[in-house]
Amino acid sequence: MSDKLTMLLDAPEKFRRLLVLSGAGISAESGVPTFRGGGTSTVWRGMPFEQLSSVEMVEKDLPLVWEWFDYRRGIVAGCEPNAAHLAIARAQISGRFDAFTLVTQNIDGLHRSAGSTDLIELHGNIDQARCLSCNYLLDVAEIPEDERPPVCPDCFDSMRPNVVLFGEALDDDALLQAYESAAVCDVCIVVGTSAVVYPANQIPVIAKREGAVIIEVNSDETELTAFADFSIRGKAADVLPTILGDEVN
Ligand code: BV8
């Protein structure tokens, strides 16, 4: 790690308000596949994931959308938070920061399992279903596995996964909260994201515009690398404990 970055991380007065933005790469070492690793995009049943996870697919083939999310939930069920998730959860309660915001693009729930609270799950949460008509929310675990698509217990319409799909807007409040935190943070750590998905990829742009230091943690170069003040090449589970002072982990 460069001396300049070490000095920053050791200078508490310059590192009091932290925003962490995470993407699929933070969960890679937990066993959750990423979407665009190695320059290829995830394909399932012959379809690219951007098509499977699109709002059009909900209208076109809701049962297939449930098969796709049931498949992914099966993978996530066997995964545990890794040292990166734990370091972020510990940093939040360390008392070291005047302001601490965690924004994740992930729907795998591993930050919550690691103990993070008040996090902003920009793209929703794989463990919930939402009614197409009345927005009734239900934990998928409460729905019989053969009830696909699930039936809303309130209005009896079909239910869909409670995630933000390509082609649909994010929750306004969640996005506004993320942007407001980005505008006031001193340091924005961007970990495990290819930074290609809009509008989440605007968070480091806002942070930098308002004077924050951008630290990227990624195993590869990304579209953000040239833009970041520091780009640490490495695995999230190795790097995050170091930069968040959680080596004990
Ligand atoms: C919207 C939930 C408007 C579902 C997800 C053309 C140009 C620009 C934008 C667009 C465009 N065409 C369409 C758009 C908009 C579109 C978009 O950005 N598309 C992209 C593909 C170009 N965005 C949207 O549609 C958004 N909505 O814009 O709405 C609107 C307004 C009003 C009315 C209607 C519409 C909605 C986007 C949300 C989509 N949902 N997830 C699901 O999961 O199935 S996004 C999905 O991608 C996941 O959430 C994922 O997290 C996210 C982002 O990907 P990453 O997290 O970055 O993951 P990736 O695999 O790409 O990268 C992993 C990285 O980790 C890599 O860099 C790798 O090197 C690194 N890594 C790997 N291992 C490690 C590691 N790093 C560290 N350690 C390791 N061990």
Side-chain angles (χ1 to χ4, degrees), residues 23-25 28-29 34-37 49-50 53 68-69 72 105-107 123 163-170 192-199 217-220 222 234-236:
E29 285 148 284
T34 63
F35 296 89
R36 300 175 185 84
F49 97 93
E50 285 98 340
S53 287
W68 163 234
F69 280 94
R72 288 173 59 198
Q105 299 173 87
N106 300 341
I107 62 173
H123 297 155
V163 298
V164 180
L165 299 172
F166 289 103
E168 63 185 352
L170 279 66
T193 181
S194 58
V196 300
V197 174
Y198 175 88
V217 177
N218 201 301
S219 48
D220 298 304
T222 71
K235 292 188 171 184

mmCIF file of all heavy atoms in Angstrom, residues 23-25 28-29 34-37 49-50 53 68-69 72 105-107 123 163-170 192-199 217-220 222 234-236, ligand 1:
data_model
loop_
_atom_site.group_PDB
_atom_site.id
_atom_site.type_symbol
_atom_site.label_atom_id
_atom_site.label_comp_id
_atom_site.label_asym_id
_atom_site.label_seq_id
_atom_site.Cartn_x
_atom_site.Cartn_y
_atom_site.Cartn_z
ATOM 1 N N GLY A 23 -19.904 -4.101 -4.501
ATOM 2 C CA GLY A 23 -20.519 -4.814 -5.621
ATOM 3 C C GLY A 23 -20.245 -6.297 -5.469
ATOM 4 O O GLY A 23 -19.721 -6.753 -4.457
ATOM 5 N N ALA A 24 -20.603 -7.029 -6.508
ATOM 6 C CA ALA A 24 -20.579 -8.500 -6.453
ATOM 7 C C ALA A 24 -19.217 -9.062 -6.039
ATOM 8 O O ALA A 24 -19.122 -10.114 -5.422
ATOM 9 C CB ALA A 24 -20.991 -9.063 -7.811
ATOM 10 N N GLY A 25 -18.134 -8.345 -6.365
ATOM 11 C CA GLY A 25 -16.785 -8.846 -6.074
ATOM 12 C C GLY A 25 -16.509 -9.021 -4.595
ATOM 13 O O GLY A 25 -15.693 -9.861 -4.199
ATOM 14 N N ALA A 28 -17.367 -12.538 -3.764
ATOM 15 C CA ALA A 28 -16.742 -13.610 -4.567
ATOM 16 C C ALA A 28 -16.080 -14.650 -3.660
ATOM 17 O O ALA A 28 -16.252 -15.856 -3.842
ATOM 18 C CB ALA A 28 -15.725 -13.008 -5.534
ATOM 19 N N GLU A 29 -15.364 -14.173 -2.638
ATOM 20 C CA GLU A 29 -14.634 -15.135 -1.782
ATOM 21 C C GLU A 29 -15.581 -15.863 -0.827
ATOM 22 O O GLU A 29 -15.174 -16.775 -0.123
ATOM 23 C CB GLU A 29 -13.526 -14.413 -1.008
ATOM 24 C CG GLU A 29 -12.359 -14.082 -1.924
ATOM 25 C CD GLU A 29 -11.671 -12.815 -1.523
ATOM 26 O OE1 GLU A 29 -12.219 -11.742 -1.800
ATOM 27 O OE2 GLU A 29 -10.598 -12.900 -0.927
ATOM 28 N N THR A 34 -19.678 -13.693 -9.459
ATOM 29 C CA THR A 34 -19.867 -12.318 -9.940
ATOM 30 C C THR A 34 -20.539 -12.369 -11.316
ATOM 31 O O THR A 34 -20.810 -13.444 -11.845
ATOM 32 C CB THR A 34 -18.498 -11.599 -10.060
ATOM 33 O OG1 THR A 34 -17.730 -12.307 -11.032
ATOM 34 C CG2 THR A 34 -17.767 -11.583 -8.722
ATOM 35 N N PHE A 35 -20.816 -11.183 -11.844
ATOM 36 C CA PHE A 35 -21.574 -11.124 -13.093
ATOM 37 C C PHE A 35 -20.694 -10.967 -14.306
ATOM 38 O O PHE A 35 -21.010 -11.416 -15.389
ATOM 39 C CB PHE A 35 -22.531 -9.924 -13.031
ATOM 40 C CG PHE A 35 -23.551 -10.057 -11.964
ATOM 41 C CD1 PHE A 35 -23.307 -9.589 -10.679
ATOM 42 C CD2 PHE A 35 -24.740 -10.716 -12.217
ATOM 43 C CE1 PHE A 35 -24.249 -9.733 -9.684
ATOM 44 C CE2 PHE A 35 -25.689 -10.860 -11.216
ATOM 45 C CZ PHE A 35 -25.442 -10.369 -9.942
ATOM 46 N N ARG A 36 -19.578 -10.237 -14.124
ATOM 47 C CA ARG A 36 -18.805 -9.847 -15.323
ATOM 48 C C ARG A 36 -17.329 -10.208 -15.167
ATOM 49 O O ARG A 36 -16.506 -9.662 -15.850
ATOM 50 C CB ARG A 36 -18.949 -8.326 -15.552
ATOM 51 C CG ARG A 36 -20.375 -7.906 -15.756
ATOM 52 C CD ARG A 36 -20.528 -6.412 -15.869
ATOM 53 N NE ARG A 36 -21.936 -6.079 -15.944
ATOM 54 C CZ ARG A 36 -22.719 -5.948 -14.878
ATOM 55 N NH1 ARG A 36 -22.204 -6.106 -13.665
ATOM 56 N NH2 ARG A 36 -23.999 -5.675 -14.996
ATOM 57 N N GLY A 37 -17.046 -11.143 -14.220
ATOM 58 C CA GLY A 37 -15.626 -11.458 -14.004
ATOM 59 C C GLY A 37 -14.980 -11.977 -15.289
ATOM 60 O O GLY A 37 -15.624 -12.634 -16.107
ATOM 61 N N PHE A 49 -27.389 -12.557 -18.094
ATOM 62 C CA PHE A 49 -28.102 -12.249 -16.843
ATOM 63 C C PHE A 49 -28.838 -10.923 -16.934
ATOM 64 O O PHE A 49 -29.904 -10.752 -16.331
ATOM 65 C CB PHE A 49 -27.155 -12.332 -15.645
ATOM 66 C CG PHE A 49 -26.569 -11.045 -15.188
ATOM 67 C CD1 PHE A 49 -27.175 -10.305 -14.188
ATOM 68 C CD2 PHE A 49 -25.407 -10.565 -15.755
ATOM 69 C CE1 PHE A 49 -26.643 -9.111 -13.759
ATOM 70 C CE2 PHE A 49 -24.859 -9.383 -15.340
ATOM 71 C CZ PHE A 49 -25.471 -8.646 -14.337
ATOM 72 N N GLU A 50 -28.295 -9.985 -17.772
ATOM 73 C CA GLU A 50 -29.024 -8.723 -17.909
ATOM 74 C C GLU A 50 -30.419 -8.933 -18.503
ATOM 75 O O GLU A 50 -31.333 -8.151 -18.249
ATOM 76 C CB GLU A 50 -28.257 -7.723 -18.790
ATOM 77 C CG GLU A 50 -27.070 -7.067 -18.125
ATOM 78 C CD GLU A 50 -25.760 -7.747 -18.488
ATOM 79 O OE1 GLU A 50 -25.832 -8.905 -18.917
ATOM 80 O OE2 GLU A 50 -24.700 -7.135 -18.309
ATOM 81 N N SER A 53 -32.498 -10.810 -15.610
ATOM 82 C CA SER A 53 -32.812 -9.863 -14.519
ATOM 83 C C SER A 53 -33.347 -8.562 -15.092
ATOM 84 O O SER A 53 -32.911 -7.461 -14.703
ATOM 85 C CB SER A 53 -31.538 -9.579 -13.707
ATOM 86 O OG SER A 53 -31.219 -10.693 -12.942
ATOM 87 N N TRP A 68 -34.775 -18.518 -11.990
ATOM 88 C CA TRP A 68 -33.458 -17.857 -11.995
ATOM 89 C C TRP A 68 -33.112 -17.392 -10.564
ATOM 90 O O TRP A 68 -32.018 -17.646 -10.067
ATOM 91 C CB TRP A 68 -33.504 -16.707 -12.985
ATOM 92 C CG TRP A 68 -32.486 -15.615 -12.967
ATOM 93 C CD1 TRP A 68 -32.746 -14.282 -12.903
ATOM 94 C CD2 TRP A 68 -31.051 -15.728 -13.053
ATOM 95 N NE1 TRP A 68 -31.578 -13.559 -12.952
ATOM 96 C CE2 TRP A 68 -30.524 -14.417 -13.036
ATOM 97 C CE3 TRP A 68 -30.167 -16.809 -13.119
ATOM 98 C CZ2 TRP A 68 -29.154 -14.163 -13.099
ATOM 99 C CZ3 TRP A 68 -28.801 -16.554 -13.196
ATOM 100 C CH2 TRP A 68 -28.317 -15.240 -13.179
ATOM 101 N N PHE A 69 -34.050 -16.778 -9.883
ATOM 102 C CA PHE A 69 -33.758 -16.283 -8.537
ATOM 103 C C PHE A 69 -33.731 -17.415 -7.504
ATOM 104 O O PHE A 69 -32.952 -17.378 -6.551
ATOM 105 C CB PHE A 69 -34.719 -15.149 -8.144
ATOM 106 C CG PHE A 69 -34.303 -13.829 -8.736
ATOM 107 C CD1 PHE A 69 -34.818 -13.394 -9.939
ATOM 108 C CD2 PHE A 69 -33.320 -13.064 -8.118
ATOM 109 C CE1 PHE A 69 -34.387 -12.207 -10.515
ATOM 110 C CE2 PHE A 69 -32.886 -11.866 -8.685
ATOM 111 C CZ PHE A 69 -33.420 -11.435 -9.886
ATOM 112 N N ARG A 72 -30.283 -18.797 -7.819
ATOM 113 C CA ARG A 72 -29.269 -17.939 -7.179
ATOM 114 C C ARG A 72 -29.415 -17.954 -5.657
ATOM 115 O O ARG A 72 -28.433 -17.944 -4.905
ATOM 116 C CB ARG A 72 -29.359 -16.523 -7.738
ATOM 117 C CG ARG A 72 -28.836 -16.480 -9.166
ATOM 118 C CD ARG A 72 -29.044 -15.173 -9.807
ATOM 119 N NE ARG A 72 -28.400 -14.086 -9.075
ATOM 120 C CZ ARG A 72 -28.747 -12.809 -9.272
ATOM 121 N NH1 ARG A 72 -29.719 -12.513 -10.113
ATOM 122 N NH2 ARG A 72 -28.141 -11.855 -8.604
ATOM 123 N N GLN A 105 -24.674 -2.862 -3.940
ATOM 124 C CA GLN A 105 -25.432 -3.207 -5.155
ATOM 125 C C GLN A 105 -25.899 -4.666 -5.056
ATOM 126 O O GLN A 105 -26.676 -5.123 -5.878
ATOM 127 C CB GLN A 105 -24.558 -3.061 -6.391
ATOM 128 C CG GLN A 105 -24.034 -1.656 -6.614
ATOM 129 C CD GLN A 105 -23.041 -1.621 -7.753
ATOM 130 O OE1 GLN A 105 -23.416 -1.481 -8.928
ATOM 131 N NE2 GLN A 105 -21.762 -1.759 -7.417
ATOM 132 N N ASN A 106 -25.390 -5.360 -4.042
ATOM 133 C CA ASN A 106 -25.637 -6.793 -3.945
ATOM 134 C C ASN A 106 -26.994 -7.082 -3.307
ATOM 135 O O ASN A 106 -27.497 -6.303 -2.507
ATOM 136 C CB ASN A 106 -24.529 -7.468 -3.125
ATOM 137 C CG ASN A 106 -23.170 -7.271 -3.763
ATOM 138 O OD1 ASN A 106 -23.074 -6.947 -4.957
ATOM 139 N ND2 ASN A 106 -22.122 -7.400 -2.972
ATOM 140 N N ILE A 107 -27.549 -8.207 -3.693
ATOM 141 C CA ILE A 107 -28.862 -8.616 -3.147
ATOM 142 C C ILE A 107 -28.709 -9.868 -2.285
ATOM 143 O O ILE A 107 -29.678 -10.448 -1.842
ATOM 144 C CB ILE A 107 -29.848 -8.898 -4.312
ATOM 145 C CG1 ILE A 107 -29.368 -10.063 -5.202
ATOM 146 C CG2 ILE A 107 -30.085 -7.641 -5.129
ATOM 147 C CD1 ILE A 107 -30.393 -10.475 -6.261
ATOM 148 N N HIS A 123 -30.221 -2.382 -4.776
ATOM 149 C CA HIS A 123 -30.896 -3.241 -5.748
ATOM 150 C C HIS A 123 -31.813 -4.264 -5.101
ATOM 151 O O HIS A 123 -32.229 -5.221 -5.759
ATOM 152 C CB HIS A 123 -29.851 -3.959 -6.612
ATOM 153 C CG HIS A 123 -29.034 -3.006 -7.429
ATOM 154 N ND1 HIS A 123 -27.763 -3.308 -7.870
ATOM 155 C CD2 HIS A 123 -29.293 -1.749 -7.867
ATOM 156 C CE1 HIS A 123 -27.290 -2.278 -8.564
ATOM 157 N NE2 HIS A 123 -28.185 -1.313 -8.563
ATOM 158 N N VAL A 163 -36.380 -7.217 -5.992
ATOM 159 C CA VAL A 163 -35.077 -6.673 -6.401
ATOM 160 C C VAL A 163 -35.306 -5.660 -7.517
ATOM 161 O O VAL A 163 -36.357 -5.665 -8.170
ATOM 162 C CB VAL A 163 -34.120 -7.787 -6.894
ATOM 163 C CG1 VAL A 163 -33.815 -8.787 -5.803
ATOM 164 C CG2 VAL A 163 -34.698 -8.470 -8.127
ATOM 165 N N VAL A 164 -34.319 -4.792 -7.744
ATOM 166 C CA VAL A 164 -34.419 -3.812 -8.829
ATOM 167 C C VAL A 164 -33.856 -4.464 -10.085
ATOM 168 O O VAL A 164 -32.676 -4.854 -10.110
ATOM 169 C CB VAL A 164 -33.622 -2.531 -8.512
ATOM 170 C CG1 VAL A 164 -33.746 -1.543 -9.672
ATOM 171 C CG2 VAL A 164 -34.098 -1.916 -7.207
ATOM 172 N N LEU A 165 -34.662 -4.580 -11.095
ATOM 173 C CA LEU A 165 -34.229 -5.246 -12.324
ATOM 174 C C LEU A 165 -33.755 -4.209 -13.343
ATOM 175 O O LEU A 165 -34.058 -3.014 -13.222
ATOM 176 C CB LEU A 165 -35.391 -6.077 -12.878
ATOM 177 C CG LEU A 165 -35.869 -7.190 -11.929
ATOM 178 C CD1 LEU A 165 -37.148 -7.839 -12.469
ATOM 179 C CD2 LEU A 165 -34.782 -8.238 -11.726
ATOM 180 N N PHE A 166 -33.006 -4.668 -14.305
ATOM 181 C CA PHE A 166 -32.548 -3.746 -15.355
ATOM 182 C C PHE A 166 -33.776 -3.168 -16.054
ATOM 183 O O PHE A 166 -34.727 -3.885 -16.361
ATOM 184 C CB PHE A 166 -31.634 -4.465 -16.348
ATOM 185 C CG PHE A 166 -30.290 -4.798 -15.769
ATOM 186 C CD1 PHE A 166 -29.986 -6.083 -15.369
ATOM 187 C CD2 PHE A 166 -29.338 -3.802 -15.582
ATOM 188 C CE1 PHE A 166 -28.744 -6.380 -14.809
ATOM 189 C CE2 PHE A 166 -28.098 -4.089 -15.031
ATOM 190 C CZ PHE A 166 -27.807 -5.377 -14.632
ATOM 191 N N GLY A 167 -33.743 -1.859 -16.260
ATOM 192 C CA GLY A 167 -34.862 -1.202 -16.949
ATOM 193 C C GLY A 167 -35.884 -0.650 -15.996
ATOM 194 O O GLY A 167 -36.871 -0.050 -16.409
ATOM 195 N N GLU A 168 -35.661 -0.829 -14.678
ATOM 196 C CA GLU A 168 -36.619 -0.202 -13.752
ATOM 197 C C GLU A 168 -35.885 0.709 -12.770
ATOM 198 O O GLU A 168 -34.688 0.527 -12.477
ATOM 199 C CB GLU A 168 -37.460 -1.244 -13.020
ATOM 200 C CG GLU A 168 -36.760 -2.188 -12.128
ATOM 201 C CD GLU A 168 -37.753 -3.236 -11.566
ATOM 202 O OE1 GLU A 168 -38.983 -3.117 -11.772
ATOM 203 O OE2 GLU A 168 -37.266 -4.171 -10.922
ATOM 204 N N ALA A 169 -36.640 1.683 -12.274
ATOM 205 C CA ALA A 169 -36.030 2.713 -11.418
ATOM 206 C C ALA A 169 -35.697 2.149 -10.043
ATOM 207 O O ALA A 169 -36.357 1.220 -9.566
ATOM 208 C CB ALA A 169 -37.008 3.878 -11.282
ATOM 209 N N LEU A 170 -34.673 2.706 -9.426
ATOM 210 C CA LEU A 170 -34.343 2.345 -8.046
ATOM 211 C C LEU A 170 -35.282 3.106 -7.109
ATOM 212 O O LEU A 170 -35.912 4.072 -7.521
ATOM 213 C CB LEU A 170 -32.891 2.734 -7.741
ATOM 214 C CG LEU A 170 -31.788 1.789 -8.204
ATOM 215 C CD1 LEU A 170 -31.689 1.698 -9.707
ATOM 216 C CD2 LEU A 170 -30.423 2.187 -7.617
ATOM 217 N N GLY A 192 -15.079 -4.150 -5.156
ATOM 218 C CA GLY A 192 -15.671 -5.299 -5.845
ATOM 219 C C GLY A 192 -16.772 -4.953 -6.817
ATOM 220 O O GLY A 192 -17.760 -5.678 -6.933
ATOM 221 N N THR A 193 -16.602 -3.824 -7.539
ATOM 222 C CA THR A 193 -17.610 -3.511 -8.553
ATOM 223 C C THR A 193 -16.933 -3.103 -9.852
ATOM 224 O O THR A 193 -15.944 -2.394 -9.868
ATOM 225 C CB THR A 193 -18.578 -2.418 -8.087
ATOM 226 O OG1 THR A 193 -19.556 -2.177 -9.119
ATOM 227 C CG2 THR A 193 -17.875 -1.111 -7.754
ATOM 228 N N SER A 194 -17.542 -3.544 -10.963
ATOM 229 C CA SER A 194 -17.019 -3.172 -12.288
ATOM 230 C C SER A 194 -17.421 -1.742 -12.622
ATOM 231 O O SER A 194 -16.974 -1.177 -13.614
ATOM 232 C CB SER A 194 -17.572 -4.141 -13.339
ATOM 233 O OG SER A 194 -19.000 -4.110 -13.316
ATOM 234 N N ALA A 195 -18.281 -1.175 -11.785
ATOM 235 C CA ALA A 195 -18.719 0.235 -11.921
ATOM 236 C C ALA A 195 -19.357 0.524 -13.279
ATOM 237 O O ALA A 195 -19.250 1.641 -13.788
ATOM 238 C CB ALA A 195 -17.523 1.180 -11.678
ATOM 239 N N VAL A 196 -20.030 -0.468 -13.835
ATOM 240 C CA VAL A 196 -20.702 -0.234 -15.128
ATOM 241 C C VAL A 196 -22.209 -0.016 -14.955
ATOM 242 O O VAL A 196 -22.873 0.484 -15.838
ATOM 243 C CB VAL A 196 -20.496 -1.395 -16.132
ATOM 244 C CG1 VAL A 196 -19.042 -1.609 -16.445
ATOM 245 C CG2 VAL A 196 -21.133 -2.680 -15.638
ATOM 246 N N VAL A 197 -22.731 -0.398 -13.784
ATOM 247 C CA VAL A 197 -24.189 -0.315 -13.612
ATOM 248 C C VAL A 197 -24.589 1.060 -13.081
ATOM 249 O O VAL A 197 -24.104 1.517 -12.043
ATOM 250 C CB VAL A 197 -24.699 -1.425 -12.685
ATOM 251 C CG1 VAL A 197 -26.181 -1.260 -12.376
ATOM 252 C CG2 VAL A 197 -24.470 -2.791 -13.340
ATOM 253 N N TYR A 198 -25.458 1.689 -13.857
ATOM 254 C CA TYR A 198 -26.020 3.003 -13.514
ATOM 255 C C TYR A 198 -27.310 2.780 -12.720
ATOM 256 O O TYR A 198 -28.035 1.799 -12.992
ATOM 257 C CB TYR A 198 -26.301 3.755 -14.823
ATOM 258 C CG TYR A 198 -26.994 5.077 -14.640
ATOM 259 C CD1 TYR A 198 -26.275 6.238 -14.427
ATOM 260 C CD2 TYR A 198 -28.392 5.136 -14.631
ATOM 261 C CE1 TYR A 198 -26.920 7.445 -14.230
ATOM 262 C CE2 TYR A 198 -29.041 6.335 -14.430
ATOM 263 C CZ TYR A 198 -28.307 7.484 -14.221
ATOM 264 O OH TYR A 198 -28.949 8.666 -13.998
ATOM 265 N N PRO A 199 -27.723 3.599 -11.780
ATOM 266 C CA PRO A 199 -27.040 4.814 -11.331
ATOM 267 C C PRO A 199 -26.089 4.607 -10.151
ATOM 268 O O PRO A 199 -25.481 5.568 -9.692
ATOM 269 C CB PRO A 199 -28.211 5.701 -10.902
ATOM 270 C CG PRO A 199 -29.247 4.743 -10.419
ATOM 271 C CD PRO A 199 -29.094 3.504 -11.240
ATOM 272 N N VAL A 217 -10.964 -0.846 -4.428
ATOM 273 C CA VAL A 217 -10.379 -2.153 -4.091
ATOM 274 C C VAL A 217 -10.974 -3.155 -5.062
ATOM 275 O O VAL A 217 -12.191 -3.371 -5.078
ATOM 276 C CB VAL A 217 -10.732 -2.569 -2.645
ATOM 277 C CG1 VAL A 217 -10.178 -3.968 -2.337
ATOM 278 C CG2 VAL A 217 -10.189 -1.546 -1.646
ATOM 279 N N ASN A 218 -10.092 -3.708 -5.915
ATOM 280 C CA ASN A 218 -10.606 -4.607 -6.945
ATOM 281 C C ASN A 218 -9.480 -5.545 -7.375
ATOM 282 O O ASN A 218 -8.327 -5.148 -7.400
ATOM 283 C CB ASN A 218 -11.113 -3.786 -8.152
ATOM 284 C CG ASN A 218 -12.091 -4.578 -9.001
ATOM 285 O OD1 ASN A 218 -11.739 -5.633 -9.515
ATOM 286 N ND2 ASN A 218 -13.314 -4.084 -9.146
ATOM 287 N N SER A 219 -9.867 -6.772 -7.735
ATOM 288 C CA SER A 219 -8.829 -7.733 -8.171
ATOM 289 C C SER A 219 -8.341 -7.386 -9.582
ATOM 290 O O SER A 219 -7.289 -7.841 -10.012
ATOM 291 C CB SER A 219 -9.403 -9.157 -8.145
ATOM 292 O OG SER A 219 -10.656 -9.178 -8.795
ATOM 293 N N ASP A 220 -9.137 -6.572 -10.301
ATOM 294 C CA ASP A 220 -8.752 -6.191 -11.669
ATOM 295 C C ASP A 220 -8.915 -4.685 -11.862
ATOM 296 O O ASP A 220 -9.519 -3.998 -11.021
ATOM 297 C CB ASP A 220 -9.665 -6.906 -12.698
ATOM 298 C CG ASP A 220 -9.519 -8.422 -12.618
ATOM 299 O OD1 ASP A 220 -8.378 -8.908 -12.759
ATOM 300 O OD2 ASP A 220 -10.529 -9.093 -12.332
ATOM 301 N N THR A 222 -10.749 -1.501 -13.557
ATOM 302 C CA THR A 222 -12.146 -1.281 -13.981
ATOM 303 C C THR A 222 -12.252 0.098 -14.638
ATOM 304 O O THR A 222 -11.266 0.832 -14.715
ATOM 305 C CB THR A 222 -13.085 -1.263 -12.761
ATOM 306 O OG1 THR A 222 -12.834 -0.029 -12.037
ATOM 307 C CG2 THR A 222 -12.855 -2.443 -11.848
ATOM 308 N N GLY A 234 -6.283 -6.197 -5.498
ATOM 309 C CA GLY A 234 -6.242 -7.306 -4.546
ATOM 310 C C GLY A 234 -7.632 -7.798 -4.229
ATOM 311 O O GLY A 234 -8.627 -7.227 -4.682
ATOM 312 N N LYS A 235 -7.703 -8.848 -3.436
ATOM 313 C CA LYS A 235 -8.987 -9.435 -3.076
ATOM 314 C C LYS A 235 -9.590 -8.685 -1.888
ATOM 315 O O LYS A 235 -8.873 -8.342 -0.925
ATOM 316 C CB LYS A 235 -8.797 -10.922 -2.736
ATOM 317 C CG LYS A 235 -8.408 -11.754 -3.946
ATOM 318 C CD LYS A 235 -8.410 -13.230 -3.628
ATOM 319 C CE LYS A 235 -8.241 -14.040 -4.926
ATOM 320 N NZ LYS A 235 -8.336 -15.482 -4.669
ATOM 321 N N ALA A 236 -10.864 -8.468 -1.950
ATOM 322 C CA ALA A 236 -11.545 -7.687 -0.905
ATOM 323 C C ALA A 236 -11.275 -8.264 0.482
ATOM 324 O O ALA A 236 -11.006 -7.515 1.437
ATOM 325 C CB ALA A 236 -13.036 -7.669 -1.200
HETATM 326 C C1 BV8 B 1 -32.242 2.411 -14.305
HETATM 327 C C2 BV8 B 1 -30.408 -6.865 -9.064
HETATM 328 C C3 BV8 B 1 -33.765 4.032 -15.143
HETATM 329 C C4 BV8 B 1 -30.855 -7.942 -10.008
HETATM 330 C C5 BV8 B 1 -29.003 -5.404 -10.453
HETATM 331 C C6 BV8 B 1 -26.391 1.888 -21.412
HETATM 332 C C7 BV8 B 1 -25.427 2.685 -20.809
HETATM 333 C C8 BV8 B 1 -25.533 3.038 -19.465
HETATM 334 C C9 BV8 B 1 -26.603 2.600 -18.678
HETATM 335 C C10 BV8 B 1 -27.543 1.802 -19.282
HETATM 336 C C11 BV8 B 1 -27.443 1.438 -20.630
HETATM 337 N N1 BV8 B 1 -28.503 0.657 -20.920
HETATM 338 C C12 BV8 B 1 -29.267 0.516 -19.806
HETATM 339 C C13 BV8 B 1 -28.703 1.234 -18.807
HETATM 340 C C14 BV8 B 1 -29.206 1.353 -17.431
HETATM 341 C C15 BV8 B 1 -28.924 0.071 -16.653
HETATM 342 C C16 BV8 B 1 -27.436 -0.244 -16.645
HETATM 343 O O1 BV8 B 1 -26.669 0.392 -15.957
HETATM 344 N N2 BV8 B 1 -27.050 -1.246 -17.443
HETATM 345 C C17 BV8 B 1 -25.655 -1.642 -17.503
HETATM 346 C C18 BV8 B 1 -25.588 -3.156 -17.747
HETATM 347 C C19 BV8 B 1 -24.966 -0.854 -18.603
HETATM 348 N N3 BV8 B 1 -29.350 0.323 -15.294
HETATM 349 C C20 BV8 B 1 -30.609 0.067 -14.951
HETATM 350 O O2 BV8 B 1 -31.435 -0.443 -15.665
HETATM 351 C C21 BV8 B 1 -30.994 0.530 -13.552
HETATM 352 N N4 BV8 B 1 -32.200 1.276 -13.610
HETATM 353 O O3 BV8 B 1 -31.328 2.929 -14.873
HETATM 354 O O4 BV8 B 1 -33.503 2.920 -14.305
HETATM 355 C C22 BV8 B 1 -35.226 4.192 -15.138
HETATM 356 C C23 BV8 B 1 -35.757 5.336 -14.576
HETATM 357 C C24 BV8 B 1 -37.126 5.496 -14.600
HETATM 358 C C25 BV8 B 1 -37.949 4.513 -15.151
HETATM 359 C C26 BV8 B 1 -37.402 3.353 -15.677
HETATM 360 C C27 BV8 B 1 -36.033 3.182 -15.689
HETATM 361 C C28 BV8 B 1 -31.210 -0.668 -12.660
HETATM 362 C C29 BV8 B 1 -29.893 -1.344 -12.411
HETATM 363 C C30 BV8 B 1 -30.059 -2.428 -11.343
HETATM 364 C C31 BV8 B 1 -30.012 -3.793 -11.989
HETATM 365 N N5 BV8 B 1 -30.061 -4.819 -10.941
HETATM 366 N N6 BV8 B 1 -29.103 -6.347 -9.496
HETATM 367 C C32 BV8 B 1 -29.945 -9.152 -9.950
HETATM 368 O O5 BV8 B 1 -28.988 -9.171 -9.153
HETATM 369 O O6 BV8 B 1 -30.248 -10.082 -10.728
HETATM 370 S S1 BV8 B 1 -27.480 -4.918 -10.995
HETATM 371 C C33 BV8 B 1 -26.377 -6.226 -10.900
HETATM 372 O O7 BV8 B 1 -25.151 -5.685 -11.376
HETATM 373 C C34 BV8 B 1 -26.017 -6.724 -9.529
HETATM 374 O O8 BV8 B 1 -26.698 -6.068 -8.491
HETATM 375 C C35 BV8 B 1 -24.538 -6.380 -9.421
HETATM 376 O O9 BV8 B 1 -24.097 -6.168 -8.136
HETATM 377 C C36 BV8 B 1 -24.571 -5.166 -10.200
HETATM 378 C C37 BV8 B 1 -23.352 -4.442 -10.546
HETATM 379 O O10 BV8 B 1 -22.387 -5.325 -10.935
HETATM 380 P P1 BV8 B 1 -21.118 -5.465 -10.002
HETATM 381 O O11 BV8 B 1 -21.563 -5.519 -8.591
HETATM 382 O O12 BV8 B 1 -20.161 -4.412 -10.361
HETATM 383 O O13 BV8 B 1 -20.619 -6.905 -10.378
HETATM 384 P P2 BV8 B 1 -19.666 -7.308 -11.613
HETATM 385 O O14 BV8 B 1 -19.701 -8.790 -11.706
HETATM 386 O O15 BV8 B 1 -20.005 -6.466 -12.797
HETATM 387 O O16 BV8 B 1 -18.191 -6.860 -11.142
HETATM 388 C C38 BV8 B 1 -17.551 -7.533 -10.071
HETATM 389 C C39 BV8 B 1 -16.254 -6.808 -9.839
HETATM 390 O O17 BV8 B 1 -15.608 -7.390 -8.711
HETATM 391 C C40 BV8 B 1 -15.288 -6.902 -11.005
HETATM 392 O O18 BV8 B 1 -14.725 -5.618 -11.230
HETATM 393 C C41 BV8 B 1 -14.213 -7.880 -10.513
HETATM 394 O O19 BV8 B 1 -12.933 -7.535 -11.008
HETATM 395 C C42 BV8 B 1 -14.247 -7.636 -9.023
HETATM 396 N N7 BV8 B 1 -13.857 -8.782 -8.204
HETATM 397 C C43 BV8 B 1 -14.075 -10.099 -8.439
HETATM 398 N N8 BV8 B 1 -13.596 -10.821 -7.398
HETATM 399 C C44 BV8 B 1 -13.096 -9.937 -6.489
HETATM 400 C C45 BV8 B 1 -13.247 -8.630 -7.002
HETATM 401 N N9 BV8 B 1 -12.844 -7.536 -6.334
HETATM 402 C C46 BV8 B 1 -12.277 -7.712 -5.124
HETATM 403 N N10 BV8 B 1 -12.094 -8.939 -4.560
HETATM 404 C C47 BV8 B 1 -12.485 -10.068 -5.214
HETATM 405 N N11 BV8 B 1 -12.272 -11.277 -4.658
#
